[in-house]
Amino acid sequence: MSNLDKLVSITINLQATVADGVSFSNMLILGAAPASGSPQDIAAYGSLAEVQDAGWKVTGEEAEPVGIAARIAFANGAKLVYIGVVKAEETAVQAVTRSLDTEGWYVVAPAGVEPDEMEDLAEYIETTEKLLVYGYSQTDPVSQTELYRTAAVCCDHVYGTAVEAESGDGYKHIALCAKALQYTPGSETWAFKPVSSVTASQFTTAQMKTLEDAHTNYIASVGGRTITMNGQVKAGEWIDLIRFRDWLKNEMQVEVATLFLKRPKIPYTDSGIALIDKVMRTVLKRGQQNGGIAEDAYDSNENLIPGFTTSVPLAADISDSVKASRKLTGCTFSAIIAGAIHMVEINGDMVYSR
């Protein structure tokens, strides 16, 4: 014991927190193992060199689907990718099911998975809290349209014409994911993202409308830039909104659980309920700062329109039986979606004088 301890005794305890391994920033490239090499069934890779060291060929005539996909991902700014190996004796769905035990990834991005497996994969992803983003050439392998967790990317260079397997153009969905996942959930749209290592599709206006009517994504040249277009899942909802919703749910779950761990107890009183309300508002404010929830605004009559509101019950209004169960219900919130502008119409006049 030091002399200072005789005068001032201080004990500092580290607050318990909830471990949160959920990430909304990484993709899982799903495909076959390399012809040579024995990589882990699922692993994270921080560079293309690591992918090559694991055995996958990434360039040339011997390039493998997973290797090409990884090359496209890192070329478009990915800092980390997960690769899940589909074993010879299993289906793509079985491989993803096994991969769910590994945290850190959010989007499934198939590379070389057979088209006839894509429908089953899409239906399975709908039961999870992940996203599936796949590319196709000539014919969309997924016929079902009411899918809120599946996004399709038409990889054709010329509409209805198959792409060359080793060119990289068959992996335009990988470029889309690599670019969009770099943004904080709520701050982005999956349209208008400049991508590299893939070529823009040469579609006519009518062909682009056909894809957009089917809520299909594609890569186009606009103003000399190769960019992503549309940004929707097959059901017509925006990809960024699905991602932000998943992020918001996870953040609120983690923060409320952390509150339970930090305190000896949360009393079933107005002050205890107010702590839950505070956590809800903190997370919603974070979502607002990220850009997913609209900022506070005023209408034409100067009435405040808050970006979000919360509501929790009063302790006095809760029955004794509910209090005895120690379960708090009736906590709600409402948030205005910030959305994004994808198209602008401007009308003007040119005159000689006023």
Side-chain angles (χ1 to χ4, degrees), residues 129-288:
E129 294 194 346
K130 304 290 187 180
L131 284 177
L132 168 66
V133 181
Y134 69 93
Y136 72 87
S137 181
Q138 293 184 283
T139 304
D140 190 343
V142 179
S143 60
Q144 189 170 332
T145 57
E146 289 304 305
L147 296 170
Y148 287 85
R149 293 187 171 276
T150 296
V153 179
C154 180
C155 295
D156 294 353
H157 184 56
V158 177
Y159 195 77
T161 303
V163 298
E164 296 180 8
E166 65 277 354
S167 70
D169 278 346
Y171 303 85
K172 291 177 180 178
H173 63 296
I174 300 291
L176 168 65
C177 293
K179 277 294 183 180
L181 289 174
Q182 296 176 42
Y183 295 88
T184 301
S187 71
E188 91 288 13
T189 171
W190 287 48
F192 316 133
K193 296 294 170 285
V195 292
S196 60
S197 298
V198 295
T199 58
S201 298
Q202 297 179 357
F203 297 153
T204 65
T205 300
Q207 290 166 346
M208 288 187 281
K209 186 178 186 304
T210 297
L211 291 172
E212 290 167 2
D213 287 346
H215 311 301
T216 299
N217 306 284
Y218 58 97
I219 307 294
S221 178
V222 178
R225 302 288 297 277
T226 301
I227 64 172
T228 63
M229 298 294 288
N230 203 21
Q232 290 181 305
V233 295
K234 290 186 74 68
E237 189 55 87
W238 303 104
I239 304 173
D240 57 271
L241 184 56
I242 300 297
R243 181 179 179 230
F244 177 71
R245 181 192 63 183
D246 289 347
W247 173 88
L248 187 66
K249 175 184 176 180
N250 181 73
E251 286 288 297
M252 200 165 288
Q253 286 179 322
V254 169
E255 292 298 333
V256 173
T258 299
L259 180 66
F260 286 140
L261 290 182
K262 282 184 174 180
R263 292 176 174 267
K265 76 169 184 178
I266 308 298
Y268 215 133
T269 62
D270 286 339
S271 61
I273 295 172
L275 292 173
I276 303 297
D277 185 56
K278 182 180 179 181
V279 168
M280 292 168 57
R281 295 186 66 82
T282 297
V283 173
L284 290 166
K285 185 66 177 178
R286 197 177 302 158
Q288 195 175 49

Side-chain angles (χ1 to χ4, degrees), residues 64-123:
E64 297 164 293
V66 168
I68 299 171
R71 188 187 80 219
I72 300 297
F74 285 113
N76 281 280
K79 298 296 187 293
L80 187 75
V81 299
Y82 286 75
I83 297 178
V85 173
V86 182
K87 300 177 182 179
E89 69 278 7
E90 68 181 356
T91 65
V93 169
Q94 290 171 328
V96 171
T97 302
R98 177 169 42 76
S99 299
L100 289 174
D101 293 333
T102 300
E103 295 180 329
W105 61 272
Y106 178 61
V107 174
V108 180
V113 174
E114 291 299 323
D116 59 7
E117 290 199 71
M118 213 63 69
E119 187 106 43
D120 289 342
L121 186 56
E123 291 178 358

